[in-house]
Amino acid sequence: RFSGSSVHSITVSRLSHFSPSYLLTTCVSSLAASFRSSPLEVEDSQRFAIQQQAKMAPKGRNAAAKRPSPKLPERSKGRSKKARQAEKGKLKKSSSSLDDKDSTDKIKINRAPVLTLWIAACLQRLGYNRDLALGVGKVFSQRCAIAKGRSLGVLKKPEAKATVPSTSKKRPAASGLSKDEDETVDIAGQKFRAISTDKGLLAADPSSKATSKTTINPAKVEAYLKSAFKNDLPRVEDAMKRAAQRKGKEALRGEAMSLYEEFRPSWAGWGVKGTLSLSELARACN
């Protein structure tokens, strides 16, 4: 190919003293070394080169006399099959470690249970008991869900009722419902009624009458969260509590909703699960 050049003709004349098998094997070994290949890969490359050279050898009666059949190098005996598999396993493990870390950081879930759990974590940081915190968190998320549904047109807005002035005198509060027994929980600019029971303060059920003693069952809220988060509930709740601890109590009381908006699951549509990132949760409260 380069016979017209004196320099290349000299190079070709020198290379002609070497057999094609030697040249091919040397080139493959040099390339393998340049890519920092392992000894096992170099051996495989050499075996492949010799096999290809054998295929290109001239066929005929005098083929064997012209060129001796090359011997294939034996595979290193020091490396067992288990050792090679272990080496491949380490490479796979190192390459997938980032993907595993990313998958554990992100969770597919709806917004409502995330908001419920976050408000509960904030209220516990403020000193309220867990049962009351779970109930208030559930009522809080219901209010937000209703407001979002109405803004999207998914839920109908309530019809305005005509108010008729009443001539009857206001009745006193029913027995057992004095102001001393009921408390008001203030979080993120919203107020929630808490009723004193034998089990302590519990969140009032907003669907019942104002004079009713019906409360939110904390066990049902707990079951709701377990159904939504599944096995991720303990670590997500722990992450939320640790995040809430980084904020002062009064700052957390007023900024609970704005903090939630920084890490809440991405919006994917009404009723569609979004992605919750625990790293974004941690950054929101730093």
Side-chain angles (χ1 to χ4, degrees):
R1 190 181 292 181
F2 303 101
S3 59
S5 173
S6 59
V7 177
H8 289 91
S9 62
I10 295 173
T11 305
V12 172
S13 64
R14 291 180 179 178
L15 292 178
S16 62
H17 295 288
F18 300 98
S19 65
S21 173
Y22 174 80
L23 294 175
L24 186 58
T25 304
T26 304
C27 291
V28 172
S29 300
S30 301
L31 288 175
S34 65
F35 287 104
R36 296 181 181 178
S37 301
S38 63
L40 179 61
E41 293 172 334
V42 174
E43 289 180 8
D44 292 340
S45 301
Q46 291 176 347
R47 290 171 60 87
F48 174 77
I50 295 175
Q51 288 174 353
Q52 294 300 317
Q53 191 272 335
K55 291 180 180 179
M56 294 185 295
K59 297 181 181 180
R61 296 179 180 179
N62 300 327
K66 290 181 180 179
R67 188 173 299 141
S69 59
K71 294 183 179 180
L72 298 177
E74 296 182 358
R75 188 177 293 271
S76 301
K77 296 181 179 180
R79 296 174 55 82
S80 62
K81 184 177 180 180
K82 289 185 178 180
R84 295 194 298 271
Q85 290 178 349
E87 183 179 354
K88 292 180 180 179
K90 289 180 181 179
L91 294 175
K92 290 182 180 180
K93 186 176 181 180
S94 61
S95 62
S96 61
S97 59
L98 295 177
D99 295 337
D100 294 339
K101 183 178 180 180
D102 185 69
S103 62
T104 56
D105 175 74
K106 296 182 179 179
I107 300 170
K108 284 285 187 180
I109 193 169
N110 294 106
R111 286 186 171 184
V114 175
L115 180 57
T116 301
L117 189 60
W118 170 245
I119 294 299
C122 293
L123 289 175
Q124 290 179 83
R125 165 77 172 110
L126 298 178
Y128 295 98
N129 66 73
R130 177 177 172 79
D131 290 345
L132 174 62
L134 289 174
V136 173
K138 181 62 176 175
V139 178
F140 194 108
S141 65
Q142 286 177 346
R143 288 183 182 179
C144 294
I146 292 173
K148 184 69 174 180
R150 288 173 178 172
S151 65
L152 295 175
V154 178
L155 302 178
K156 294 182 179 180
K157 297 182 179 180
E159 297 179 358
K161 296 181 180 180
T163 57
V164 179
S166 176
T167 57
S168 60
K169 296 181 179 181
K170 293 183 179 180
R171 296 181 180 180
S175 59
L177 289 175
S178 63
K179 293 183 179 180
D180 297 335
E181 293 183 357
D182 295 347
E183 292 187 14
T184 300
V185 178
D186 187 359
I187 183 73
Q190 298 192 38
K191 298 183 182 299
F192 303 86
R193 178 172 166 238
I195 300 175
S196 178
T197 66
D198 297 338
K199 298 180 180 179
L201 286 173
L202 296 177
D205 188 350
S207 61
S208 59
K209 295 181 180 179
T211 57
S212 174
K213 299 282 285 184
T214 306
T215 59
I216 299 293
N217 188 348
K220 291 184 178 181
V221 181
E222 185 79 30
Y224 161 73
L225 293 175
K226 288 181 179 179
S227 176
F229 285 95
K230 296 180 173 56
N231 296 332
D232 294 319
L233 178 59
R235 66 190 185 94
V236 174
E237 184 175 9
D238 181 67
M240 287 186 175
K241 287 182 177 180
R242 285 188 281 108
Q245 287 292 334
R246 300 191 186 102
K247 285 291 188 181
K249 290 186 177 181
E250 293 306 316
L252 186 63
R253 186 189 297 274
E255 302 173 8
M257 190 62 185
S258 60
L259 291 172
Y260 162 77
E261 291 174 351
E262 294 184 20
F263 67 85
R264 64 186 175 183
S266 55
W267 175 254
W270 179 259
V272 181
K273 292 183 179 181
T275 302
L276 170 66
S277 174
L278 297 184
S279 59
E280 292 181 3
L281 166 63
R283 286 194 296 269
C285 296
N286 285 337

